[in-house]
Amino acid sequence: MLEVISVRWIKFVNVVLKDERVVKVTFSDNPFYENIQSNTAKSLKQDLERYFSGEKVDFSSYGVNLSELSDFVRVVLNEVRSIPYGSIITYKELAESLNTSPRAIGQALKRNPTPVIIPCHRVVAKNGLGGFSAGIEIKRELLRLEGLKL
DNA sequence: CTGCGAGTCAAAC
DNA sequence: GTTTGACTCGCAG
């Protein structure tokens, strides 16, 4: 069962669900054709709309499908999911808590298929912003939504 | 301030 | 095997 959510923001944010688990999040200039059936998808759409209008929303209760990723990436992304709304951590700090290196963390984050749901934008460089697979301006705006500025 | 080299480690080639 | 980063640190100019 495949479902699609598309909500308007500075760009359209498109979320693809498979069997009520998030498999992919993308950003685009035009909306995706929606297909919303399950209660999970309905509730997620509402949560996304609330989040992008500036409300504090926690996505950690939604299921995510990470089966195509390596073990290392899964471990990193799981750790990232525990970062609370409105707070940030550096690549270095994440690396230290997982006994690896900042660059390896960056590699793993780049492979995050579901930005926002897995809040990889809350991981920043020690001095500055770091990068973002969907574009650095998206990351900056996500942080601003959560009341942070860099 | 800016630039460069080295350390680091998973992924990609 | 070698190269390449969503990084960081230290040390020159």
PDB file of all heavy atoms in Angstrom, chain C residues 2-13:
ATOM      1  P    DT C   2      46.883   2.354  -2.387  1.00  0.00           P
ATOM      2  OP1  DT C   2      48.174   2.770  -2.938  1.00  0.00           O
ATOM      3  OP2  DT C   2      46.619   2.401  -0.933  1.00  0.00           O
ATOM      4  O5'  DT C   2      45.737   3.194  -3.112  1.00  0.00           O
ATOM      5  C5'  DT C   2      45.688   3.252  -4.528  1.00  0.00           C
ATOM      6  C4'  DT C   2      44.565   4.182  -4.942  1.00  0.00           C
ATOM      7  O4'  DT C   2      43.304   3.613  -4.511  1.00  0.00           O
ATOM      8  C3'  DT C   2      44.678   5.557  -4.278  1.00  0.00           C
ATOM      9  O3'  DT C   2      44.491   6.555  -5.258  1.00  0.00           O
ATOM     10  C2'  DT C   2      43.579   5.552  -3.238  1.00  0.00           C
ATOM     11  C1'  DT C   2      42.550   4.591  -3.816  1.00  0.00           C
ATOM     12  N1   DT C   2      41.729   3.903  -2.793  1.00  0.00           N
ATOM     13  C2   DT C   2      40.362   4.066  -2.823  1.00  0.00           C
ATOM     14  O2   DT C   2      39.791   4.751  -3.651  1.00  0.00           O
ATOM     15  N3   DT C   2      39.682   3.396  -1.845  1.00  0.00           N
ATOM     16  C4   DT C   2      40.212   2.604  -0.852  1.00  0.00           C
ATOM     17  O4   DT C   2      39.494   2.049  -0.037  1.00  0.00           O
ATOM     18  C5   DT C   2      41.648   2.490  -0.876  1.00  0.00           C
ATOM     19  C7   DT C   2      42.345   1.661   0.163  1.00  0.00           C
ATOM     20  C6   DT C   2      42.333   3.130  -1.829  1.00  0.00           C
ATOM     21  P    DT C   3      44.620   8.123  -4.839  1.00  0.00           P
ATOM     22  OP1  DT C   3      45.186   8.816  -5.997  1.00  0.00           O
ATOM     23  OP2  DT C   3      45.232   8.214  -3.497  1.00  0.00           O
ATOM     24  O5'  DT C   3      43.086   8.564  -4.713  1.00  0.00           O
ATOM     25  C5'  DT C   3      42.205   8.229  -5.777  1.00  0.00           C
ATOM     26  C4'  DT C   3      40.810   8.725  -5.469  1.00  0.00           C
ATOM     27  O4'  DT C   3      40.193   7.887  -4.468  1.00  0.00           O
ATOM     28  C3'  DT C   3      40.750  10.157  -4.934  1.00  0.00           C
ATOM     29  O3'  DT C   3      39.688  10.803  -5.600  1.00  0.00           O
ATOM     30  C2'  DT C   3      40.472   9.971  -3.449  1.00  0.00           C
ATOM     31  C1'  DT C   3      39.655   8.697  -3.430  1.00  0.00           C
ATOM     32  N1   DT C   3      39.695   7.879  -2.191  1.00  0.00           N
ATOM     33  C2   DT C   3      38.512   7.402  -1.679  1.00  0.00           C
ATOM     34  O2   DT C   3      37.426   7.644  -2.178  1.00  0.00           O
ATOM     35  N3   DT C   3      38.633   6.627  -0.559  1.00  0.00           N
ATOM     36  C4   DT C   3      39.800   6.289   0.091  1.00  0.00           C
ATOM     37  O4   DT C   3      39.789   5.571   1.094  1.00  0.00           O
ATOM     38  C5   DT C   3      41.013   6.828  -0.491  1.00  0.00           C
ATOM     39  C7   DT C   3      42.337   6.534   0.146  1.00  0.00           C
ATOM     40  C6   DT C   3      40.906   7.586  -1.592  1.00  0.00           C
ATOM     41  P    DT C   4      39.529  12.407  -5.441  1.00  0.00           P
ATOM     42  OP1  DT C   4      39.163  12.906  -6.778  1.00  0.00           O
ATOM     43  OP2  DT C   4      40.647  12.981  -4.697  1.00  0.00           O
ATOM     44  O5'  DT C   4      38.220  12.491  -4.544  1.00  0.00           O
ATOM     45  C5'  DT C   4      37.124  11.653  -4.879  1.00  0.00           C
ATOM     46  C4'  DT C   4      36.082  11.722  -3.794  1.00  0.00           C
ATOM     47  O4'  DT C   4      36.390  10.815  -2.721  1.00  0.00           O
ATOM     48  C3'  DT C   4      35.927  13.106  -3.149  1.00  0.00           C
ATOM     49  O3'  DT C   4      34.548  13.371  -3.066  1.00  0.00           O
ATOM     50  C2'  DT C   4      36.530  12.921  -1.764  1.00  0.00           C
ATOM     51  C1'  DT C   4      36.176  11.480  -1.496  1.00  0.00           C
ATOM     52  N1   DT C   4      36.976  10.784  -0.465  1.00  0.00           N
ATOM     53  C2   DT C   4      36.337   9.925   0.394  1.00  0.00           C
ATOM     54  O2   DT C   4      35.137   9.730   0.359  1.00  0.00           O
ATOM     55  N3   DT C   4      37.146   9.302   1.307  1.00  0.00           N
ATOM     56  C4   DT C   4      38.509   9.455   1.435  1.00  0.00           C
ATOM     57  O4   DT C   4      39.129   8.837   2.284  1.00  0.00           O
ATOM     58  C5   DT C   4      39.120  10.367   0.507  1.00  0.00           C
ATOM     59  C7   DT C   4      40.580  10.616   0.572  1.00  0.00           C
ATOM     60  C6   DT C   4      38.336  10.987  -0.395  1.00  0.00           C
ATOM     61  P    DG C   5      33.951  14.868  -2.989  1.00  0.00           P
ATOM     62  OP1  DG C   5      32.490  14.640  -2.911  1.00  0.00           O
ATOM     63  OP2  DG C   5      34.499  15.743  -4.004  1.00  0.00           O
ATOM     64  O5'  DG C   5      34.508  15.407  -1.585  1.00  0.00           O
ATOM     65  C5'  DG C   5      33.706  16.118  -0.672  1.00  0.00           C
ATOM     66  C4'  DG C   5      32.664  15.241  -0.043  1.00  0.00           C
ATOM     67  O4'  DG C   5      33.270  13.984   0.398  1.00  0.00           O
ATOM     68  C3'  DG C   5      32.053  15.834   1.208  1.00  0.00           C
ATOM     69  O3'  DG C   5      30.760  15.295   1.421  1.00  0.00           O
ATOM     70  C2'  DG C   5      33.039  15.385   2.286  1.00  0.00           C
ATOM     71  C1'  DG C   5      33.387  13.983   1.805  1.00  0.00           C
ATOM     72  N9   DG C   5      34.761  13.588   2.155  1.00  0.00           N
ATOM     73  C8   DG C   5      35.914  14.121   1.651  1.00  0.00           C
ATOM     74  N7   DG C   5      36.996  13.553   2.123  1.00  0.00           N
ATOM     75  C5   DG C   5      36.516  12.586   2.974  1.00  0.00           C
ATOM     76  C6   DG C   5      37.212  11.662   3.775  1.00  0.00           C
ATOM     77  O6   DG C   5      38.441  11.492   3.879  1.00  0.00           O
ATOM     78  N1   DG C   5      36.346  10.854   4.517  1.00  0.00           N
ATOM     79  C2   DG C   5      34.973  10.952   4.471  1.00  0.00           C
ATOM     80  N2   DG C   5      34.303  10.114   5.251  1.00  0.00           N
ATOM     81  N3   DG C   5      34.309  11.799   3.723  1.00  0.00           N
ATOM     82  C4   DG C   5      35.143  12.594   3.005  1.00  0.00           C
ATOM     83  P    DA C   6      29.429  16.005   0.917  1.00  0.00           P
ATOM     84  OP1  DA C   6      28.728  14.762   0.887  1.00  0.00           O
ATOM     85  OP2  DA C   6      29.634  16.828  -0.303  1.00  0.00           O
ATOM     86  O5'  DA C   6      28.724  16.865   2.049  1.00  0.00           O
ATOM     87  C5'  DA C   6      29.130  18.158   2.404  1.00  0.00           C
ATOM     88  C4'  DA C   6      28.678  18.466   3.821  1.00  0.00           C
ATOM     89  O4'  DA C   6      27.232  18.386   3.910  1.00  0.00           O
ATOM     90  C3'  DA C   6      29.222  17.542   4.876  1.00  0.00           C
ATOM     91  O3'  DA C   6      29.532  18.302   6.032  1.00  0.00           O
ATOM     92  C2'  DA C   6      28.053  16.592   5.168  1.00  0.00           C
ATOM     93  C1'  DA C   6      26.877  17.555   4.995  1.00  0.00           C
ATOM     94  N9   DA C   6      25.625  16.862   4.634  1.00  0.00           N
ATOM     95  C8   DA C   6      25.312  16.296   3.442  1.00  0.00           C
ATOM     96  N7   DA C   6      24.109  15.779   3.405  1.00  0.00           N
ATOM     97  C5   DA C   6      23.588  16.026   4.671  1.00  0.00           C
ATOM     98  C6   DA C   6      22.374  15.721   5.281  1.00  0.00           C
ATOM     99  N6   DA C   6      21.396  15.089   4.660  1.00  0.00           N
ATOM    100  N1   DA C   6      22.194  16.105   6.549  1.00  0.00           N
ATOM    101  C2   DA C   6      23.179  16.743   7.174  1.00  0.00           C
ATOM    102  N3   DA C   6      24.372  17.085   6.706  1.00  0.00           N
ATOM    103  C4   DA C   6      24.523  16.697   5.441  1.00  0.00           C
ATOM    104  P    DC C   7      30.936  19.021   6.116  1.00  0.00           P
ATOM    105  OP1  DC C   7      30.628  20.292   6.718  1.00  0.00           O
ATOM    106  OP2  DC C   7      31.745  18.943   4.883  1.00  0.00           O
ATOM    107  O5'  DC C   7      31.608  18.110   7.222  1.00  0.00           O
ATOM    108  C5'  DC C   7      30.879  17.678   8.353  1.00  0.00           C
ATOM    109  C4'  DC C   7      31.825  17.571   9.531  1.00  0.00           C
ATOM    110  O4'  DC C   7      33.044  16.955   9.092  1.00  0.00           O
ATOM    111  C3'  DC C   7      32.218  18.925  10.138  1.00  0.00           C
ATOM    112  O3'  DC C   7      32.079  18.864  11.543  1.00  0.00           O
ATOM    113  C2'  DC C   7      33.645  19.120   9.704  1.00  0.00           C
ATOM    114  C1'  DC C   7      34.142  17.691   9.594  1.00  0.00           C
ATOM    115  N1   DC C   7      35.267  17.581   8.646  1.00  0.00           N
ATOM    116  C2   DC C   7      36.464  17.052   9.111  1.00  0.00           C
ATOM    117  O2   DC C   7      36.549  16.671  10.278  1.00  0.00           O
ATOM    118  N3   DC C   7      37.506  16.978   8.260  1.00  0.00           N
ATOM    119  C4   DC C   7      37.383  17.386   6.996  1.00  0.00           C
ATOM    120  N4   DC C   7      38.425  17.290   6.203  1.00  0.00           N
ATOM    121  C5   DC C   7      36.151  17.915   6.507  1.00  0.00           C
ATOM    122  C6   DC C   7      35.137  17.998   7.358  1.00  0.00           C
ATOM    123  P    DT C   8      32.407  20.208  12.430  1.00  0.00           P
ATOM    124  OP1  DT C   8      31.627  20.131  13.665  1.00  0.00           O
ATOM    125  OP2  DT C   8      32.326  21.383  11.570  1.00  0.00           O
ATOM    126  O5'  DT C   8      33.944  19.962  12.800  1.00  0.00           O
ATOM    127  C5'  DT C   8      34.297  18.752  13.429  1.00  0.00           C
ATOM    128  C4'  DT C   8      35.742  18.783  13.890  1.00  0.00           C
ATOM    129  O4'  DT C   8      36.629  18.548  12.786  1.00  0.00           O
ATOM    130  C3'  DT C   8      36.184  20.107  14.528  1.00  0.00           C
ATOM    131  O3'  DT C   8      36.809  19.809  15.761  1.00  0.00           O
ATOM    132  C2'  DT C   8      37.142  20.710  13.519  1.00  0.00           C
ATOM    133  C1'  DT C   8      37.692  19.470  12.828  1.00  0.00           C
ATOM    134  N1   DT C   8      38.137  19.673  11.429  1.00  0.00           N
ATOM    135  C2   DT C   8      39.368  19.192  11.053  1.00  0.00           C
ATOM    136  O2   DT C   8      40.123  18.621  11.804  1.00  0.00           O
ATOM    137  N3   DT C   8      39.684  19.416   9.732  1.00  0.00           N
ATOM    138  C4   DT C   8      38.912  20.038   8.792  1.00  0.00           C
ATOM    139  O4   DT C   8      39.318  20.175   7.645  1.00  0.00           O
ATOM    140  C5   DT C   8      37.636  20.514   9.255  1.00  0.00           C
ATOM    141  C7   DT C   8      36.733  21.206   8.315  1.00  0.00           C
ATOM    142  C6   DT C   8      37.308  20.309  10.542  1.00  0.00           C
ATOM    143  P    DC C   9      37.351  20.970  16.736  1.00  0.00           P
ATOM    144  OP1  DC C   9      37.040  20.557  18.099  1.00  0.00           O
ATOM    145  OP2  DC C   9      36.891  22.273  16.223  1.00  0.00           O
ATOM    146  O5'  DC C   9      38.928  20.907  16.535  1.00  0.00           O
ATOM    147  C5'  DC C   9      39.600  19.663  16.714  1.00  0.00           C
ATOM    148  C4'  DC C   9      41.047  19.851  16.329  1.00  0.00           C
ATOM    149  O4'  DC C   9      41.139  19.961  14.895  1.00  0.00           O
ATOM    150  C3'  DC C   9      41.660  21.125  16.915  1.00  0.00           C
ATOM    151  O3'  DC C   9      42.817  20.802  17.653  1.00  0.00           O
ATOM    152  C2'  DC C   9      41.957  21.994  15.710  1.00  0.00           C
ATOM    153  C1'  DC C   9      42.057  20.982  14.572  1.00  0.00           C
ATOM    154  N1   DC C   9      41.670  21.540  13.251  1.00  0.00           N
ATOM    155  C2   DC C   9      42.486  21.319  12.161  1.00  0.00           C
ATOM    156  O2   DC C   9      43.511  20.659  12.290  1.00  0.00           O
ATOM    157  N3   DC C   9      42.119  21.847  10.969  1.00  0.00           N
ATOM    158  C4   DC C   9      40.999  22.557  10.860  1.00  0.00           C
ATOM    159  N4   DC C   9      40.690  23.053   9.669  1.00  0.00           N
ATOM    160  C5   DC C   9      40.147  22.793  11.975  1.00  0.00           C
ATOM    161  C6   DC C   9      40.514  22.270  13.147  1.00  0.00           C
ATOM    162  P    DG C  10      43.540  21.953  18.520  1.00  0.00           P
ATOM    163  OP1  DG C  10      43.965  21.308  19.764  1.00  0.00           O
ATOM    164  OP2  DG C  10      42.697  23.171  18.548  1.00  0.00           O
ATOM    165  O5'  DG C  10      44.826  22.274  17.636  1.00  0.00           O
ATOM    166  C5'  DG C  10      45.580  21.210  17.076  1.00  0.00           C
ATOM    167  C4'  DG C  10      46.635  21.763  16.140  1.00  0.00           C
ATOM    168  O4'  DG C  10      46.026  22.076  14.856  1.00  0.00           O
ATOM    169  C3'  DG C  10      47.260  23.072  16.644  1.00  0.00           C
ATOM    170  O3'  DG C  10      48.657  23.045  16.381  1.00  0.00           O
ATOM    171  C2'  DG C  10      46.561  24.135  15.817  1.00  0.00           C
ATOM    172  C1'  DG C  10      46.348  23.406  14.498  1.00  0.00           C
ATOM    173  N9   DG C  10      45.268  23.942  13.694  1.00  0.00           N
ATOM    174  C8   DG C  10      44.051  24.416  14.117  1.00  0.00           C
ATOM    175  N7   DG C  10      43.290  24.843  13.147  1.00  0.00           N
ATOM    176  C5   DG C  10      44.048  24.630  12.010  1.00  0.00           C
ATOM    177  C6   DG C  10      43.751  24.899  10.648  1.00  0.00           C
ATOM    178  O6   DG C  10      42.727  25.384  10.156  1.00  0.00           O
ATOM    179  N1   DG C  10      44.797  24.536   9.811  1.00  0.00           N
ATOM    180  C2   DG C  10      45.976  23.990  10.241  1.00  0.00           C
ATOM    181  N2   DG C  10      46.873  23.701   9.299  1.00  0.00           N
ATOM    182  N3   DG C  10      46.276  23.727  11.503  1.00  0.00           N
ATOM    183  C4   DG C  10      45.265  24.078  12.329  1.00  0.00           C
ATOM    184  P    DC C  11      49.617  24.108  17.093  1.00  0.00           P
ATOM    185  OP1  DC C  11      50.493  23.346  17.996  1.00  0.00           O
ATOM    186  OP2  DC C  11      48.820  25.249  17.596  1.00  0.00           O
ATOM    187  O5'  DC C  11      50.465  24.637  15.863  1.00  0.00           O
ATOM    188  C5'  DC C  11      50.674  23.808  14.714  1.00  0.00           C
ATOM    189  C4'  DC C  11      50.871  24.674  13.476  1.00  0.00           C
ATOM    190  O4'  DC C  11      49.581  24.978  12.883  1.00  0.00           O
ATOM    191  C3'  DC C  11      51.529  26.031  13.782  1.00  0.00           C
ATOM    192  O3'  DC C  11      52.494  26.323  12.798  1.00  0.00           O
ATOM    193  C2'  DC C  11      50.365  26.993  13.689  1.00  0.00           C
ATOM    194  C1'  DC C  11      49.562  26.362  12.573  1.00  0.00           C
ATOM    195  N1   DC C  11      48.154  26.825  12.495  1.00  0.00           N
ATOM    196  C2   DC C  11      47.587  27.060  11.231  1.00  0.00           C
ATOM    197  O2   DC C  11      48.275  26.870  10.217  1.00  0.00           O
ATOM    198  N3   DC C  11      46.310  27.487  11.165  1.00  0.00           N
ATOM    199  C4   DC C  11      45.605  27.677  12.279  1.00  0.00           C
ATOM    200  N4   DC C  11      44.350  28.091  12.166  1.00  0.00           N
ATOM    201  C5   DC C  11      46.159  27.445  13.568  1.00  0.00           C
ATOM    202  C6   DC C  11      47.420  27.022  13.627  1.00  0.00           C
ATOM    203  P    DA C  12      53.732  27.290  13.190  1.00  0.00           P
ATOM    204  OP1  DA C  12      54.515  26.649  14.213  1.00  0.00           O
ATOM    205  OP2  DA C  12      53.210  28.657  13.441  1.00  0.00           O
ATOM    206  O5'  DA C  12      54.539  27.331  11.834  1.00  0.00           O
ATOM    207  C5'  DA C  12      54.621  28.505  11.101  1.00  0.00           C
ATOM    208  C4'  DA C  12      53.520  28.597  10.044  1.00  0.00           C
ATOM    209  O4'  DA C  12      52.225  28.722  10.649  1.00  0.00           O
ATOM    210  C3'  DA C  12      53.637  29.823   9.145  1.00  0.00           C
ATOM    211  O3'  DA C  12      54.286  29.439   7.956  1.00  0.00           O
ATOM    212  C2'  DA C  12      52.209  30.254   8.872  1.00  0.00           C
ATOM    213  C1'  DA C  12      51.366  29.243   9.668  1.00  0.00           C
ATOM    214  N9   DA C  12      50.181  29.788  10.305  1.00  0.00           N
ATOM    215  C8   DA C  12      49.914  29.853  11.645  1.00  0.00           C
ATOM    216  N7   DA C  12      48.725  30.327  11.938  1.00  0.00           N
ATOM    217  C5   DA C  12      48.168  30.606  10.711  1.00  0.00           C
ATOM    218  C6   DA C  12      46.914  31.114  10.311  1.00  0.00           C
ATOM    219  N6   DA C  12      45.967  31.464  11.193  1.00  0.00           N
ATOM    220  N1   DA C  12      46.680  31.267   8.999  1.00  0.00           N
ATOM    221  C2   DA C  12      47.625  30.909   8.122  1.00  0.00           C
ATOM    222  N3   DA C  12      48.831  30.396   8.355  1.00  0.00           N
ATOM    223  C4   DA C  12      49.037  30.273   9.682  1.00  0.00           C
ATOM    224  P    DG C  13      55.188  30.469   7.182  1.00  0.00           P
ATOM    225  OP1  DG C  13      56.060  29.747   6.226  1.00  0.00           O
ATOM    226  OP2  DG C  13      55.781  31.349   8.198  1.00  0.00           O
ATOM    227  O5'  DG C  13      54.098  31.237   6.332  1.00  0.00           O
ATOM    228  C5'  DG C  13      54.156  32.611   6.189  1.00  0.00           C
ATOM    229  C4'  DG C  13      52.829  33.138   5.646  1.00  0.00           C
ATOM    230  O4'  DG C  13      51.770  32.820   6.568  1.00  0.00           O
ATOM    231  C3'  DG C  13      52.859  34.644   5.469  1.00  0.00           C
ATOM    232  O3'  DG C  13      52.336  35.010   4.216  1.00  0.00           O
ATOM    233  C2'  DG C  13      51.940  35.146   6.589  1.00  0.00           C
ATOM    234  C1'  DG C  13      50.980  33.981   6.771  1.00  0.00           C
ATOM    235  N9   DG C  13      50.399  33.928   8.121  1.00  0.00           N
ATOM    236  C8   DG C  13      51.034  33.606   9.294  1.00  0.00           C
ATOM    237  N7   DG C  13      50.255  33.649  10.341  1.00  0.00           N
ATOM    238  C5   DG C  13      49.019  34.029   9.828  1.00  0.00           C
ATOM    239  C6   DG C  13      47.779  34.241  10.480  1.00  0.00           C
ATOM    240  O6   DG C  13      47.525  34.145  11.683  1.00  0.00           O
ATOM    241  N1   DG C  13      46.786  34.617   9.580  1.00  0.00           N
ATOM    242  C2   DG C  13      46.958  34.766   8.244  1.00  0.00           C
ATOM    243  N2   DG C  13      45.882  35.131   7.555  1.00  0.00           N
ATOM    244  N3   DG C  13      48.111  34.560   7.613  1.00  0.00           N
ATOM    245  C4   DG C  13      49.102  34.194   8.470  1.00  0.00           C
TER     246       DG C  13
END
